Amino acid sequence: KAGVTQTPRYLIKTRGQQVTLSCSPISGHRSVSWYQQTPGQGLQFLFEYFSETQRNKGNFPGRFSGRQFSNSRSEMNVSTLELGDSALYLCASSPDGPLGANVLTFGAGSRLTVL
Amino acid sequence: KQEVTQIPAALSVPEGENLVLNCSFTDSAIYNLQWFRQDPGKGLTSLLLIQSSQREQTSGRLNASLDKSSGRSTLYIAASQPGDSATYLCAVPGFQKLVFGTGTRLLVSP
């Protein structure tokens, strides 16, 4: 079955702009998580959505937001981009169940460069 | 707060060597531990998932062990190959999320 699909794979923006990243989970997975990866901070949890509801949120400013649609596809948005937002943004989906949130399958990521 | 540490941060070995990567976590109350591989600029590929009730998990040349009481896991790679060159990350569950280690960057030279 198809894996987790993230689009776009690469994008370049300038400071002050906004960006929207998309993630299509594995068919049947209703949980989608987002992570930011930078050389300095490593992998940091952004937020997790389940059945269109944000279930958990990491320690990021309000410029970072997300949503999930009824087909489980998710988008994340970053407004008023800063240089420090340059990162690899990874999306992961997981199946339902008590331990489902802990068994993640990751997409290839969206590489954002802010100039 | 769960913290995960991996040592060494980088490792360079000649092809054919057996090697061990280490992962330490501060909160031993975990459901499982997962090892991932990441190639440069790419996403994460799950290598092994060890449930808390298990002590070891094997896949091909990879063997991962888990000692919850000491807060440690090791990833053993046998007969390393240049294709094993990548960053290896361990992760443990937090509340509805994974907490990742800092990673070990492995280079296997032919």
Side-chain angles (χ1 to χ4, degrees), chain A:
Chain A
K1 57 183 177 181
V4 178
T5 303
Q6 291 188 246
T7 58
R9 290 292 317 281
Y10 304 92
L11 66 166
I12 300 173
K13 294 286 188 178
T14 57
R15 281 181 298 175
Q17 287 187 313
Q18 73 165 11
V19 66
T20 299
L21 309 178
S22 178
C23 173
S24 294
I26 289 173
S27 178
H29 286 191
R30 290 193 290 166
S31 171
V32 174
S33 304
W34 289 90
Y35 290 78
Q36 181 197 63
Q37 187 177 32
T38 59
Q41 298 296 318
L43 273 154
Q44 302 288 317
F45 172 74
L46 280 158
F47 26 66
E48 188 242 355
Y49 287 87
F50 180 81
S51 291
E52 302 179 65
T53 301
Q54 186 181 85
R55 197 159 60 170
N56 196 12
K57 187 178 189 303
N59 190 26
F60 278 81
R63 300 185 297 106
F64 292 80
S65 63
R67 59 177 175 169
Q68 187 179 33
F69 302 95
S70 58
N71 62 357
S72 293
R73 189 177 70 86
S74 177
E75 289 181 347
M76 67 162 285
N77 183 276
V78 188
S79 63
T80 320
L81 284 166
E82 301 177 359
L83 295 179
D85 297 334
S86 296
L88 180 66
Y89 290 88
L90 291 165
C91 165
S93 72
S94 63
D96 298 345
L99 298 180
N102 304 320
V103 183
L104 304 183
T105 301
F106 282 82
S110 293
R111 170 74 64 185
L112 170 65
T113 301
V114 182
L115 302 177

Side-chain angles (χ1 to χ4, degrees), chain B residues 38-60:
Chain B
Q38 185 175 32
D39 292 290
K42 302 291 181 61
L44 306 180
T45 301
S46 180
L47 297 173
L48 289 164
L49 172 70
I50 314 175
Q51 300 292 351
S52 60
S53 57
Q54 299 174 310
R55 292 190 64 86
E56 282 190 11
Q57 190 69 257
T58 298
S59 176

Side-chain angles (χ1 to χ4, degrees), chain B residues 13-16 80-83 85 107-110:
Chain B
V13 300
E15 181 177 7
S80 59
Q81 303 171 357
S85 298
L107 176 64
V108 181
S109 305

Side-chain angles (χ1 to χ4, degrees), chain B:
Chain B
K1 177 186 171 187
Q2 179 73 271
E3 293 184 359
V4 183
T5 306
Q6 290 185 246
I7 53 173
L11 184 61
S12 183
V13 300
E15 181 177 7
E17 274 204 8
N18 302 324
L19 55 99
V20 174
L21 308 181
N22 297 291
C23 172
S24 300
F25 45 94
T26 54
D27 185 350
S28 62
I30 59 171
Y31 286 120
N32 55 50
L33 183 143
Q34 203 165 355
W35 282 93
F36 292 89
R37 167 186 173 137
Q38 185 175 32
D39 292 290
K42 302 291 181 61
L44 306 180
T45 301
S46 180
L47 297 173
L48 289 164
L49 172 70
I50 314 175
Q51 300 292 351
S52 60
S53 57
Q54 299 174 310
R55 292 190 64 86
E56 282 190 11
Q57 190 69 257
T58 298
S59 176
R61 295 181 294 106
L62 306 179
N63 175 275
S65 67
L66 175 63
D67 184 345
K68 281 183 55 178
S69 61
S70 66
R72 293 180 184 177
S73 175
T74 62
L75 178 66
Y76 176 82
I77 303 178
S80 59
Q81 303 171 357
D84 295 330
S85 298
T87 296
Y88 291 81
L89 297 136
C90 65
V92 296
F95 178 68
Q96 301 293 358
K97 66 179 182 182
L98 285 182
V99 179
F100 284 87
T102 45
T104 294
R105 189 168 64 251
L106 173 65
L107 176 64
V108 181
S109 305

